[in-house]
Amino acid sequence: MAVVLIVLLVCVLLLCIGYVKYQYSYWSRRNVAFIEPRFPYGNFADANRKSIADPLVMITDLDLIKTIFITDFTYFPDRGVYHNFKDDPLSAHLFSLEGNKWRSLRARLTPTFTLGKMKMMFPTLKAVGDNLSEYLSKAVGSGTELELKDYMVRFTMDVVGNCAFGIECNSFLEPNSEFRMCGKEFFDSPRHSTMMRLFLRLFPELGQKLRIKWLNDHAAGFFYKLVRDTIDYRQKNSVERNDFMSLLIAMKNKGELSMDETAAQSFIFFLAGFETSSSNQTYCLYELAKNPEYQDKARECVLNALKKHGGVTYEAVSNMQYLDQCINETFRLYPSVPVLERKAFRDYKIPGTDVIIPKGMKVHVPSFAIHRDEQHYPDPLRFNPDRFHPEEVAKRHLCTFLSFGEGPRICIGKRFGMLQSRVGLANVLSKFRIFPCSKTAIPLEYSTRSSVLQPKGGLWLRLEPL
């Protein structure tokens, strides 16, 4: 009996080994270049030790990326981002929704981000930008070292809080408000470990069946209540504003959105609006501090526009081409989402090959790696805003710059994000010189806990009044 049992165990072990080897040979059997996986984590052995910006096996051919994102978008309409509408309603927002739900909502939300809407929201941005300048002036004095990401987060949080919820957040006076702390919690203290987040990305259907939530209960509960209370207040007091929340309320009242769906869209507007723009501004100031010649050119661009248009006006910040080049070069070096994802809606044969991407398989596009590839950007680690002069941009492939994605799922808030960055940077550059300091990390290290590209330990710089 013992011999039979041993034989059975050996057979089971051999079958398991054979199954693993077969699974690990998936791409080699299809003659596709791949990195040799290691047991038991496959290609994710370093997931806990590396930022998501360090890619494994992904699509890097620019023409194929363009085909997947644009030409054959119907094969890859979804991101495959984990969400659980039933148990975690705030996770089912525009960024993660799929299929017809996404198409319908995208079409209805697009009017929120027209040039006309941006112009109507501009007075709010200007007022918060004035607060940023005033607060920095008090903090800096004659020159001091600051953790600048903290200040730029306050700026963008006040802008988005006002535009999305009609709330005066006052982050400069109340840096530890619940509103701000909950926003910080989503990025700095994720609900799950890196490996668990990876599991939910790889097996979203299983995660939904197990009723696993993605978001922190405390922060999600706060935002849900905030949206509900804001809607109740506006409706009871007949409050009308030209902002994102007003559009959502109108859609809700027409029966186009449920309360859960309304809260989810408000949530993603808030998260994406404050984090991506604050990171871009901080990284931009970091690079300008290290490159004073570019800082001087950016400041000259800002001051000339302010003089021409009589101060910080919508027309002035729309007429700062060199500042836009600095912003885009920063997005190249520090894309907020370093890896873009798409999921095959049905079997897809890669043009010119015999390789089939089966239905349900994820496609990863490493924007971080593409942006730092010397084939597309000579001396890629050097900050050089001249790369984004319109004449230089016209020479490059469309998909060499993917900070906002591309195709029908390109970031819907791109215009708003650029406007925020212009206002914030214009206020800083027009009043201060920026320098590296003793606490400035060169080179930067990135957080391994965050789902977006964040500097490890903050980002310190020295500011001096002009």
Side-chain angles (χ1 to χ4, degrees), residues 68-308:
I68 288 173
F69 280 6
I70 304 174
T71 311
D72 289 339
F73 174 77
T74 55
Y75 284 87
F76 299 91
D78 305 322
R79 289 192 173 97
V81 175
Y82 182 75
H83 60 284
N84 183 346
F85 181 76
K86 182 177 179 181
D87 303 294
D88 199 13
L90 291 191
S91 67
H93 44 65
L94 186 67
F95 188 84
S96 61
L97 283 177
E98 301 181 348
N100 291 331
K101 278 191 174 183
W102 168 78
R103 289 184 182 86
S104 175
L105 188 60
R106 172 86 184 205
R108 284 176 284 163
L109 291 180
T110 295
T112 313
F113 299 97
T114 61
L115 285 173
K117 291 287 187 181
M118 296 300 101
K119 198 166 185 178
M120 283 191 287
M121 292 182 190
F122 185 79
T124 298
L125 274 79
K126 181 184 183 305
V128 180
D130 291 342
N131 290 342
L132 170 65
S133 298
E134 181 182 349
Y135 195 78
L136 281 175
S137 296
K138 292 178 180 178
V140 168
S142 60
T144 190
E145 299 177 354
L146 300 174
E147 201 291 279
L148 209 59
K149 176 69 186 295
D150 176 61
Y151 290 84
M152 305 319 294
V153 164
R154 297 188 203 191
F155 165 67
T156 57
M157 187 163 288
D158 281 6
V159 169
V160 176
N162 204 306
C163 292
F165 301 98
I167 293 174
E168 298 288 344
C169 301
N170 295 318
S171 296
F172 294 108
L173 299 177
E174 301 177 31
N176 296 318
S177 67
E178 189 173 12
F179 192 84
R180 185 176 179 224
M181 290 298 100
C182 285
K184 185 179 176 65
E185 186 178 329
F186 281 113
F187 289 104
D188 296 349
S189 303
R191 183 185 185 105
H192 301 294
S193 67
T194 303
M195 292 308 296
M196 185 61 178
R197 298 202 302 271
L198 178 60
F199 168 81
L200 293 175
R201 286 177 179 273
L202 294 174
F203 308 105
E205 292 83 5
L206 179 58
Q208 290 167 354
K209 288 179 181 178
L210 294 174
R211 306 191 67 174
I212 297 175
K213 296 182 179 182
W214 181 260
L215 305 173
N216 291 309
D217 289 331
H218 168 255
F222 169 79
F223 275 97
Y224 194 97
K225 182 179 183 299
L226 177 64
V227 172
R228 186 183 60 216
D229 291 349
T230 300
I231 292 174
D232 288 345
Y233 176 81
R234 290 197 184 192
Q235 292 185 328
K236 288 177 181 177
N237 295 278
S238 302
V239 176
E240 291 290 339
R241 292 170 58 99
N242 291 313
D243 61 10
F244 186 68
M245 182 59 74
S246 290
L247 178 67
L248 292 180
I249 292 173
M251 293 168 64
K252 177 180 174 295
N253 291 340
K254 292 176 184 176
E256 296 174 351
L257 290 177
S258 67
M259 183 64 214
D260 285 352
E261 291 169 329
T262 303
Q265 309 327 310
S266 300
F267 169 73
I268 192 59
F269 181 84
F270 168 76
L271 276 195
F274 94 77
E275 172 54 37
T276 57
S277 186
S278 64
S279 291
N280 174 260
Q281 292 170 67
T282 307
Y283 285 128
C284 187
L285 292 171
Y286 168 77
E287 289 294 343
L288 292 176
K290 295 193 301 173
N291 297 276
E293 69 278 16
Y294 295 137
Q295 183 182 153
D296 290 341
K297 288 183 68 174
R299 181 176 294 105
E300 181 183 9
C301 163
V302 168
L303 294 176
N304 287 342
L306 297 182
K307 182 179 179 181
K308 178 179 179 181

Side-chain angles (χ1 to χ4, degrees), residues 22-48:
Y22 182 78
Q23 291 295 99
Y24 281 3
S25 67
Y26 181 90
W27 291 116
S28 66
R29 287 183 278 117
R30 288 161 175 79
N31 296 317
V32 176
F34 71 105
I35 296 174
E36 193 71 41
R38 290 177 290 158
F39 184 81
Y41 297 109
N43 292 117
F44 297 96
D46 296 320
N48 279 316

